Amino acid sequence: MKRLFSLLIVAFFSTAIFAQTKWNADLNHSKVTFSVTHLGISDVDGLFNKFEASAIANKADFSDAVFELSVNVASINTQIEMRDNHLRSADFFEVEKYPSMTFKSTSVTKVTKDRYKLNGNLTLRGITKPVTMDLWYRGTIENPQSKKLTAGFQLTGTLKRSDFELGPKFPAPMLSDEVKIKADGEFISEG
């Protein structure tokens, strides 16, 4: 009887640990930001106010996770209304024609204990390109207020705006081709 009880406990925990779980971004504790260099001498930062993100994982360390992100590009915010309106125009994001930017991961490669390379496809202005970003898994805890499991991540990397025909009238000396990306997120388990 004792052995049967032990086997049932092991089976229960194995199922619980390896069960597929969906995680949704807690938008109150998440953000998607970017930075470009202007005239080669200063950085201009911004963020997107409206987005959704999720992850589906079987493993507790998220080494098999599939991440998805959808950004409402019109929600761009650089704290200068005139610049934001210009970024929404056909010169840059052309939000009337391309209202969303999306990302879906294709693989996660473990680099160290909690650091990964996240590969996926980014679609912006109707152009889809493969990208590789750095992902830091910051851990999972039970949120003391909600009592739900919450996982933390930080995503960083660099994209080329020319790959997505973003601002082709603005050469690199005026506006850097490289755009630094940083996203921080808390993801809440649905399970």
Side-chain angles (χ1 to χ4, degrees):
M1 184 69 169
K2 188 175 182 181
R3 181 182 166 131
L4 177 61
F5 180 74
S6 296
L7 288 173
L8 288 173
I9 295 273
V10 168
F12 172 78
F13 281 113
S14 294
T15 302
I17 290 171
F18 295 107
Q20 189 176 65
T21 303
K22 183 168 184 186
W23 302 74
N24 290 310
D26 174 356
L27 300 181
N28 292 326
H29 299 100
S30 302
K31 64 182 172 180
V32 177
T33 65
F34 62 90
S35 178
V36 296
T37 303
H38 183 248
L39 299 177
I41 58 172
S42 67
D43 289 340
V44 174
D45 302 323
L47 57 83
F48 294 96
N49 290 323
K50 295 180 182 176
F51 63 91
E52 294 177 353
S54 64
I56 295 176
N58 292 315
K59 297 182 180 178
D61 68 353
F62 291 88
S63 59
D64 67 341
V66 175
F67 290 88
E68 290 191 50
L69 170 72
S70 179
V71 174
N72 176 333
V73 183
S75 72
I76 195 165
N77 181 355
T78 65
Q79 299 183 326
I80 305 289
E81 185 178 356
M82 186 173 70
R83 178 170 51 215
D84 294 345
N85 288 335
H86 189 203
L87 290 170
R88 291 181 188 110
S89 77
D91 281 347
F92 289 95
F93 287 102
E94 198 171 357
V95 299
E96 293 293 326
K97 188 173 181 182
Y98 306 106
S100 298
M101 170 175 52
T102 61
F103 172 82
K104 183 171 184 179
S105 67
T106 54
S107 68
V108 178
T109 305
K110 197 168 202 170
V111 177
T112 62
K113 179 184 171 203
D114 56 1
R115 306 282 177 151
Y116 302 89
K117 291 289 183 186
L118 183 65
N119 300 297
N121 293 313
L122 178 68
T123 301
L124 177 58
R125 286 184 53 97
I127 300 167
T128 302
K129 296 275 186 178
V131 297
T132 300
M133 307 291 275
D134 295 313
L135 181 68
W136 175 22
Y137 166 51
R138 301 182 72 171
T140 300
I141 65 162
E142 181 181 290
N143 184 316
Q145 291 179 320
S146 69
K147 304 297 183 199
K148 294 188 177 190
L149 284 179
T150 303
F153 299 93
Q154 184 177 88
L155 180 82
T156 56
T158 303
L159 306 173
K160 288 192 172 191
R161 63 183 175 87
S162 59
D163 287 346
F164 299 94
E165 299 175 10
L166 193 61
K169 297 177 186 176
F170 300 87
M174 178 181 269
L175 191 62
S176 65
D177 190 28
E178 292 189 341
V179 180
K180 294 177 187 172
I181 304 296
K182 182 180 175 209
D184 289 283
E186 291 183 13
F187 285 67
I188 300 170
S189 171
E190 283 188 358

